[in-house]
Amino acid sequence: MKVFEALRRTAGPREIFASPRAPKRLTSVVLIIAAAMFAAFAGVLLHDHHEASHRIDQDASILSAANSVVTAMISVRDSSAADDVRKVLDQSTGAFKNDFEARSQSFIGVVQEAKVVTQGQVVASGIERRDSDSAVVLISATSSVSNAAGADNETRSWRLRVTMTDDDGQYKMSNVEFVA
């Protein structure tokens, strides 16, 4: 019987929140719930920030590699043609590299024979689309051209669509298209 009496004397939910300590308990519960919600929200924001930071760094790496290979491709000198071609090949991969490498000796011969000197620079670039291991970059560039045929620092404009592919952790050009 003593057990039943003790159970009857135990305060129920109404009595607990009706006690003088009730406002403090309720405030504590609300604060704990709010803190847990804010901690979860902060965790989500931190994760999103980390993902965005990673994408920004990767985009910068892709654009830097694309700008570098395009600059190398449109900057060629008769006196350093073999080295200039090697720079392009070092920054290329896949079918583009194979095709360019196969034609490189005749390209070097034409550049040397025609006394070609070009100096290029990228004016603007941006990522058109990307996936996990490649990106398509649109590039606007200019170059000044001099050659034995009479060109004397003539300006040429280039609009290119360049595919950059991850090649063992480094982005390299795997395709280039000239855009009208």
Side-chain angles (χ1 to χ4, degrees):
M1 270 312 205
K2 289 185 180 183
V3 173
F4 289 118
E5 257 180 55
L7 285 173
R8 275 189 224 157
R9 278 190 259 162
T10 304
R14 286 189 178 157
E15 288 84 17
I16 289 174
F17 288 110
S19 74
R21 291 185 178 169
K24 289 181 184 176
R25 285 185 188 149
L26 185 59
T27 302
S28 296
V29 169
V30 169
L31 287 176
I32 289 170
I33 291 170
M37 287 174 48
F38 281 121
F41 183 65
V44 169
L45 287 178
L46 185 62
H47 175 73
D48 287 351
H49 173 72
H50 175 71
E51 289 289 319
S53 234
H54 177 70
R55 276 192 308 270
I56 289 169
D57 290 345
Q58 196 171 29
D59 287 353
S61 175
I62 291 166
L63 289 173
S64 176
N67 292 345
S68 177
V69 71
V70 167
T71 300
M73 189 173 67
I74 62 175
S75 298
V76 179
R77 296 183 154 280
D78 59 334
S79 61
S80 61
D83 290 336
D84 297 338
V85 165
R86 177 59 36 209
K87 286 179 191 175
V88 174
L89 289 171
D90 289 345
Q91 297 177 70
S92 301
T93 190
F96 175 82
K97 180 177 184 174
N98 296 337
D99 187 45
F100 191 66
E101 194 166 34
R103 300 169 193 249
S104 64
Q105 290 307 311
S106 61
F107 177 76
I108 291 168
V110 168
V111 168
Q112 290 173 336
E113 186 179 314
K115 304 283 186 215
V116 174
V117 176
T118 64
Q119 183 58 48
Q121 68 179 14
V122 171
V123 176
S125 62
I127 296 175
E128 180 179 32
R129 65 180 178 275
R130 65 187 299 238
D131 58 33
S132 62
D133 65 345
S134 67
V136 176
V137 180
L138 296 175
I139 295 181
S140 174
T142 60
S143 63
S144 61
V145 179
S146 298
N147 60 33
D152 186 24
N153 286 324
E154 291 179 9
T155 301
R156 307 273 165 85
S157 295
W158 306 90
R159 289 182 292 192
L160 309 166
R161 178 175 282 122
V162 179
T163 302
M164 301 299 292
T165 302
D166 187 342
D167 185 37
D168 292 329
Q170 183 179 4
Y171 280 93
K172 295 184 176 185
M173 183 170 63
S174 60
N175 191 30
V176 63
E177 299 171 42
F178 294 91
V179 181

